Amino acid sequence: MSIRPVKVEELKELVAIWLDASVEAHHFIAPQYWKSQAAEMENKYLPLAQNYVIIQDDHTIGGFVSMLDGYLAALFIRVDSQRKGYGKLLLDWVKKHHDEIQLKVYQSNTKAFNFYTKNGFTIQAESVDAETEEKEFVMIWTKH
């Protein structure tokens, strides 16, 4: 298992991981919404971010994390690779490289909210995602 920067030719695979995991994790948002965002994810959001992948023992991508400076823009694990600690490994990896990390998480995504809380993030504010009209928490982690 290793973590490394993503290669340009892997972006389509990251979008597939993101789409599958988003549909599964966000049961409160119609799957069609996520599908409608896939092209923008591939062509706009991922290219703007610093993306890192976790490579499984079989040399496949197990998941990825995307950072925009100190903002955690994405952390997604391949659906069939979840619950193996990959999310924590990726999160710990980015924590080593930042003094402060901010993120937004949907309030209805209790699994993700609990994950971030367990990993030292605290609620800084509440907001509403303009596109989905879902309530979200703005969370922050600071290196001690």
Side-chain angles (χ1 to χ4, degrees):
M1 175 133 13
S2 61
I3 295 173
R4 63 159 172 79
V6 72
K7 298 172 185 165
V8 175
E9 62 269 19
E10 295 170 327
L11 288 180
K12 280 193 186 322
E13 187 172 356
L14 265 53
V15 173
I17 291 168
W18 165 82
L19 181 58
D20 288 348
S22 291
V23 169
E24 177 155 307
H26 306 111
H27 56 87
F28 47 90
I29 296 172
Q32 189 52 44
Y33 169 76
W34 300 111
K35 291 173 186 157
S36 75
Q37 300 298 306
E40 204 166 10
M41 185 72 170
E42 180 178 351
N43 300 314
K44 180 181 176 184
Y45 296 117
L46 288 174
L48 285 173
Q50 298 88 44
N51 303 292
Y52 303 93
V53 291
I54 190 159
I55 303 299
Q56 302 178 106
D57 295 335
D58 65 1
H59 306 292
T60 60
I61 296 173
F64 71 97
V65 63
S66 300
M67 294 295 298
L68 279 166
D69 299 316
Y71 183 76
L72 194 155
L75 175 58
F76 289 93
I77 306 302
R78 184 184 298 276
V79 171
D80 62 4
S81 296
Q82 291 179 0
R83 310 208 60 77
K84 294 182 180 180
Y86 294 168
K88 179 157 176 40
L89 287 169
L90 284 165
L91 187 60
D92 288 347
W93 193 86
V94 295
K95 282 177 168 182
K96 285 183 198 161
H97 299 89
H98 294 86
D99 291 334
E100 187 175 280
I101 299 172
Q102 190 179 67
L103 61 83
K104 290 181 182 175
V105 62
Y106 290 118
Q107 291 183 21
S108 297
N109 188 352
T110 52
K111 214 164 96 176
F113 172 75
N114 291 338
F115 169 78
Y116 291 121
T117 302
K118 192 172 85 178
N119 283 283
F121 284 79
T122 55
I123 297 170
Q124 189 177 36
E126 291 188 42
S127 63
V128 175
D129 179 18
E131 287 201 16
T132 62
E133 298 181 3
E134 285 288 328
K135 289 181 182 175
E136 52 192 8
F137 290 120
V138 177
M139 301 186 79
I140 194 163
W141 169 86
T142 306
K143 189 176 280 184
H144 297 293

